[in-house]
Amino acid sequence: MAFTAASVTLLILFTTLLLVPRFTGYVLRAALRSAGWFLKNRTNGRREVILSRVRLEEEDYRSRNPYSTAGPEDEDWEKVDSAPGVAKNGEPLGENWEGIIGFFHPFCNAGGGGERVLWAAVKATQERWPKATCVIYTGDHEVTKTTMVERAETRFNIRLHAPTIVLLYLSTRKYVLSSMYPHMTLLGQSLGSLIVAVDAFNLLAPDIYVDTMGYAFTIALSKYLFPLVPTGAYVHYPTISTDMLESLDDGTGVKGLNSGAGVGWKGVAKKRYWKLFARLYGWIGSKVDVVMTNSSWTSAHIDSLWGPSRKNLEHAKVTVVFPPTAVSELHSSIEVNSASEATREPSILYIAQFRPEKNHSLVLRAFAQFLDERRKDPANASLPTPKLILIGSVRHASPDETHIYNLRLLAHELHIREQTEFICDASWPTILSHLGTSSIGTNAMWNEHFGIGVVEYQAAGLISVVHDSGGPREDIVIDMGDGATGFRATTEDEFAAAFEAALALPQEEKVAMRLRARKSALRFTEEEFGRKWLIALEKLISQQRRLAKSTKT
Ligand SMILES: *[C@@H]1O[C@H](CO)[C@@H](O)[C@H](O)[C@H]1NC(C)=O
Ligand SMILES: *[C@@H]1O[C@H](CO)[C@@H](O)[C@H](O)[C@H]1NC(C)=O
Ligand SMILES: *[C@@H]1O[C@H](CO)[C@@H](O)[C@H](O)[C@H]1NC(C)=O
Ligand SMILES: *[C@@H]1O[C@H](CO)[C@@H](O)[C@H](O)[C@H]1NC(C)=O
């Protein structure tokens, strides 16, 4: 009861702060700061309990594993040795930062890409700062720490060191579900996340606060409650994007859900509301000390929304920290050299869900055209006929099923049915074997935000022929300074020409391009993620030290 009252009061304070002019703002800021002080004092007891339990678990762990220092695996230690260990002034940073990092991640058991990022970040943190405690604020009451740690290992192959991880359970997670807010979902969810954040801070006030799920409003709240706590954000997706704002004015109907919804009085109201929300969101950006994004696409959007308000911050620049992918596994299970070239067939592989936006029909048409061109030259007759292999998941009883039926029809019409293979819901071993024996990996989606599939092509040594837009263009199929790592195309003609060009490369150059692609995929490994994450965390930790020192003197 007391908690609800307190959180409602805080919420009212904070929301008013968003809406009022400066001078009242001053009073409110002071009020929030005292509330923060109160929360901190209130949770101090729990903090001591948590820290002493962590110490006990750590001792217990060491007595059972006498040869281990503090990290889970010795070999992993060497990998992070290259991480920044020295502060700017040349002083060693020391492994002895003993604070608490609070990760706001209400759905830590969801098992998706966002959770891989969370656990990879926790793992890198543990290896670099073994005495730091990682607290995860979660609403997944059904998982204990032990099962969570096990799941991170089975699902993501990430081995965590359990003693310094603490899960704190939120009882208010329902307030961030979009189903709670049939109208004004964006604002509703954002304000709802504040209730959940108060819940979190009422459990424990952290020394560093990091949001890994995109609840940026909670960061602003943290900043007002605890001005001495540095804040970080790992942004997968901007809460509102500039594309969304533009799509309201779009009359063509191709730009998604809200396309062209900006007409009529409702449309005008919606536009106003979104614009206002975008301004609010933009202001939030000034409260985040260190911002990481998962791709250049997200970075560009965050820059345009947050850039103006972050200009004067110490770490104003937004950095791209690519999420970890299964690159290492592909590297170790598939060989690329001139000997393995003999086992590669002239096949073109497209791994993507069977959905319209993936534009399989573009690939089918381009492939048909490519075969036609090839048949024109009798010199080509002796070559093995290339194949097109389409692998994808089909959601049961969904429009996907009609979609794939139409694609089969199209292949038939184009007279390429014999050369085209559809594989639905393939197992990982099957996918792996095709990645190892095909020559080309293709992707025809327009403006894909990233394209993990393309990274997997590269890691497997396939030559990419991808759509010249979005993540494949900005982040993945790029020249790393030593030559092309694949081909980019837009139209049917360009795709057909690129298939031909890739297959006609002399063997030596083919192998060289495969090796370059593989090397470029190394930017997306877990180690690389850990390295970049630690650079960001180091900024937060040194800021925390500085702020803590400044209050003591
Ligand atoms: C702060 O917390 C301590 C115990 O944790 C308590 O004795 C003290 O009264 C609190 N101070 C205030 C002002 O609430
Ligand atoms: C970034 O996150 C968004 C939203 O989850 C996702 O669509 C996109 O693929 C992610 N990018 C990368 C590089 O994983
Ligand atoms: C597929 O690609 C073609 C050719 O670029 C384009 O005209 C079409 O709109 C695309 N379809 C989809 C669903 O993106
Ligand atoms: C097939 O014929 C085309 C057209 O003459 C030619 O450009 C291409 O190099 C040939 N392909 C191969 C793999 O030799």
Side-chain angles (χ1 to χ4, degrees):
M1 218 35 235
F3 167 71
T4 325
S7 81
V8 167
T9 320
L10 273 178
L11 200 61
I12 292 170
L13 279 176
F14 185 77
T15 343
T16 333
L17 181 70
L18 301 180
L19 304 169
V20 296
R22 231 159 240 170
F23 76 104
T24 347
Y26 180 77
V27 178
L28 285 169
R29 240 178 298 223
L32 281 167
R33 193 173 290 203
S34 341
W37 183 85
F38 175 78
L39 279 174
K40 197 163 163 54
N41 188 54
R42 195 179 133 93
T43 57
N44 240 340
R46 183 175 289 124
R47 182 188 169 95
E48 293 313 317
V49 172
I50 287 176
L51 288 178
S52 63
R53 202 166 53 203
V54 165
R55 275 194 294 274
L56 275 179
E57 281 191 38
E58 185 76 68
E59 272 168 32
D60 182 46
Y61 179 89
R62 285 198 202 182
S63 65
R64 282 185 291 116
N65 303 273
Y67 300 113
S68 136
T69 34
E73 272 177 300
D74 282 340
E75 60 201 273
D76 286 343
W77 276 88
E78 286 163 29
K79 284 184 203 148
V80 283
D81 266 357
S82 57
V86 180
K88 275 205 203 82
N89 57 13
E91 255 176 54
L93 266 170
E95 274 63 54
N96 53 358
W97 188 75
E98 297 191 8
I100 295 181
I101 307 173
F103 292 87
F104 190 72
H105 204 106
F107 298 86
C108 76
N109 191 27
E115 288 64 51
R116 187 192 274 267
V117 165
L118 170 70
W119 298 121
V122 168
K123 178 175 171 177
T125 306
Q126 295 186 318
E127 287 170 353
R128 178 66 187 76
W129 281 286
K131 292 196 173 151
T133 302
C134 297
V135 164
I136 290 110
Y137 300 109
T138 174
D140 290 310
H141 292 256
E142 73 283 1
V143 284
T144 62
K145 179 165 89 174
T146 318
T147 48
M148 199 60 250
V149 167
E150 272 165 19
R151 257 176 228 184
E153 175 154 7
T154 49
R155 175 77 180 75
F156 301 122
N157 200 17
I158 294 177
R159 286 187 67 182
L160 298 163
H161 179 61
T164 54
I165 297 176
V166 177
L167 300 189
L168 290 181
Y169 296 97
L170 303 162
S171 49
T172 52
R173 185 175 75 181
K174 61 173 187 284
Y175 290 106
V176 296
L177 298 177
S178 57
S179 53
M180 285 278 288
Y181 314 96
H183 305 292
M184 308 250 267
T185 316
L186 282 180
L187 192 64
Q189 267 186 303
S190 296
L191 295 181
S193 74
L194 295 175
I195 299 182
V196 186
V198 175
D199 184 2
F201 299 141
N202 193 43
L203 289 168
L204 182 75
D207 298 319
I208 289 178
Y209 178 71
V210 181
D211 160 55
T212 41
M213 276 200 80
Y215 296 113
F217 280 60
T218 67
I219 299 178
L221 181 63
S222 166
K223 210 51 183 177
Y224 280 106
L225 291 173
F226 318 114
L228 298 181
V229 172
T231 53
Y234 186 93
V235 187
H236 291 269
Y237 200 84
T239 303
I240 187 161
S241 78
T242 27
D243 289 1
M244 254 165 97
L245 292 172
E246 281 162 15
S247 77
L248 279 179
D249 296 323
D250 179 60
T252 61
V254 296
K255 291 200 174 153
L257 207 57
N258 291 293
S259 175
V263 291
W265 71 267
K266 269 191 174 167
V268 171
K270 182 155 201 168
K271 208 151 80 183
R272 281 266 165 80
Y273 155 56
W274 277 13
K275 288 232 162 96
L276 205 71
F277 185 83
R279 265 179 56 194
L280 198 58
Y281 186 66
W283 165 80
I284 297 274
S286 64
K287 307 294 166 204
V288 194
D289 293 310
V290 173
V291 181
M292 289 160 272
T293 60
N294 78 349
S295 62
S296 301
W297 183 89
T298 308
S299 234
H301 281 83
I302 284 295
D303 255 337
S304 76
L305 291 159
W306 285 3
S309 69
R310 297 178 50 76
K311 266 202 310 276
N312 300 323
L313 294 191
E314 185 185 348
H315 306 293
K317 211 169 147 298
V318 171
T319 46
V320 179
V321 178
F322 292 118
T325 56
V327 165
S328 315
E329 190 189 341
L330 288 168
H331 258 255
S332 52
S333 48
I334 294 174
E335 241 186 297
V336 175
N337 50 40
S338 24
S340 69
E341 198 56 33
T343 61
R344 294 250 182 203
E345 288 148 19
S347 311
I348 299 166
L349 187 63
Y350 189 10
I351 305 180
Q353 283 177 321
F354 289 107
R355 296 216 217 148
E357 69 268 22
K358 300 289 180 184
N359 215 339
H360 285 84
S361 55
L362 173 57
V363 172
L364 287 171
R365 286 178 210 280
F367 180 66
Q369 186 178 335
F370 151 73
L371 287 184
D372 274 349
E373 294 285 332
R374 213 168 224 227
R375 285 194 197 104
K376 283 187 194 149
D377 186 347
N380 280 336
S382 60
L383 298 169
T385 315
K387 274 179 74 179
L388 176 64
I389 302 167
L390 306 167
I391 298 184
S393 56
V394 176
R395 291 165 302 171
H396 184 62
S398 70
D400 301 0
E401 290 181 334
T402 359
H403 185 59
I404 191 168
Y405 176 76
N406 288 333
L407 290 174
R408 284 184 201 272
L409 273 184
L410 180 63
H412 193 75
E413 275 168 29
L414 293 167
H415 306 292
I416 52 169
R417 207 173 56 158
E418 246 128 67
Q419 293 84 3
T420 307
E421 192 179 345
F422 289 86
I423 306 177
C424 297
D425 300 314
S427 67
W428 179 241
T430 312
I431 294 176
L432 203 57
S433 115
H434 283 288
L435 283 169
T437 54
S438 301
S439 274
I440 294 179
T442 193
N443 176 314
M445 182 176 167
W446 170 75
N447 215 3
E448 174 134 66
H449 294 166
F450 186 62
I452 281 199
V454 180
V455 173
E456 290 175 354
Y457 294 157
Q458 290 199 326
L462 295 181
I463 296 178
S464 301
V465 174
V466 295
H467 200 276
D468 193 15
S469 66
R473 173 200 172 100
E474 305 296 332
D475 292 327
I476 309 173
V477 186
I478 56 176
D479 188 335
M480 303 294 295
D482 50 3
T485 55
F487 296 81
R488 298 198 302 251
T490 310
T491 61
E492 213 173 290
D493 291 351
E494 285 168 6
F495 269 95
F499 291 153
E500 178 60 50
L503 287 179
L505 286 175
Q507 162 137 345
E508 215 168 284
E509 171 53 17
K510 234 185 229 170
V511 176
M513 190 179 279
R514 294 193 197 290
L515 290 173
R516 285 197 297 269
R518 272 202 142 184
K519 196 169 131 210
S520 122
L522 288 178
R523 293 174 294 147
F524 309 103
T525 57
E526 202 179 299
E527 291 78 36
E528 185 57 21
F529 170 84
R531 207 180 61 78
K532 292 231 176 94
W533 162 260
L534 288 178
I535 292 174
L537 185 58
E538 187 197 311
K539 292 176 187 159
L540 291 169
I541 288 184
S542 58
Q543 190 168 348
Q544 196 273 338
R545 284 183 164 146
R546 213 165 49 229
L547 288 171
K549 214 184 266 170
S550 72
T551 51
K552 284 207 189 95
T553 51

